[in-house]
Amino acid sequence: MNTEKVITELSQKYPDKKIIKNNDENPTEILCEIDPATEHPERSIAIAVIDKSEPHYHKKSTETYKVLKGDLTIKINNEEHKLKEGDTLVIRPDNIHYAIGNETWVEVSSEPGWTQEDHIPTNFEP
C-alpha cells in the first residue's frame, strides 16, 4: 500500500478528520473517521482503504460495507463475498470477518457506532 499517497488523499477529501493506520510500520488498512460514534453513539461512518483487514467480530454493531473504489473480497465465517465498485454487504454481530483488497476504498457504516471495545480481534480466519 502506498501509505503516504492514501493518507494525503484522505486528508484532502476529509480535512480535520482522524486517520488511523492498523499498523504504523506496515499498514494494510487505513481508516478515516468521517462521522465518529463519539459524536452520536447510535451510528458511525468511516472510510477504510484496505489491502487486508485483520479477522475480527463485533458483539453489538452491524456493519455495512459499500465499495467506493476497487474490488473487495470479504470473508464472513466460511463464506467468501466478492464485491466491486458500488456493491454493498451487511455484516451482522458475532460474524467473524475480514476483507482483502488492493488499496480498495470502502465506506463502512456501523449501527450502533463503532467502538474499540466492540472490535474483537481473533486469530481464526474463516
Side-chain angles (χ1 to χ4, degrees):
M1 178 178 301
N2 186 335
T3 305
E4 285 183 34
K5 179 181 130 251
V6 169
I7 290 174
T8 298
E9 195 171 341
L10 285 169
S11 298
Q12 290 171 347
K13 281 186 173 230
Y14 308 102
D16 303 320
K17 299 297 181 180
K18 184 177 180 180
I19 296 174
I20 305 161
K21 296 182 277 185
N22 72 336
N23 178 325
D24 281 335
E25 305 211 355
N26 185 24
T28 59
E29 181 179 26
I30 300 172
L31 297 170
C32 181
E33 293 184 314
I34 59 173
D35 196 12
T38 53
E39 295 178 13
H40 35 69
E42 70 279 1
R43 62 181 166 79
S44 64
I45 300 173
I47 301 300
V49 181
I50 300 171
D51 277 353
K52 184 171 188 232
S53 64
E54 298 298 320
H56 65 283
Y57 65 98
H58 309 277
K59 283 288 189 189
K60 297 177 185 173
S61 293
T62 295
E63 289 185 318
T64 302
Y65 281 46
K66 180 180 180 185
V67 178
L68 302 175
K69 182 168 52 172
D71 296 318
L72 191 70
T73 299
I74 300 178
K75 294 272 227 153
I76 303 174
N77 298 327
N78 290 319
E79 290 185 41
E80 185 173 283
H81 304 268
K82 301 262 187 195
L83 306 178
K84 60 186 183 319
E85 211 167 292
D87 288 347
T88 301
L89 182 69
V90 175
I91 303 167
R92 306 259 178 235
D94 293 320
N95 285 291
I96 297 171
H97 59 283
Y98 67 96
I100 301 167
N102 183 10
E103 277 187 31
T104 303
W105 286 57
V106 180
E107 180 184 276
V108 182
S109 304
S110 296
E111 291 183 8
W114 185 91
T115 63
Q116 185 67 48
E117 297 78 30
D118 191 43
H119 181 94
I120 303 159
T122 178
N123 290 330
F124 175 74
E125 288 193 20

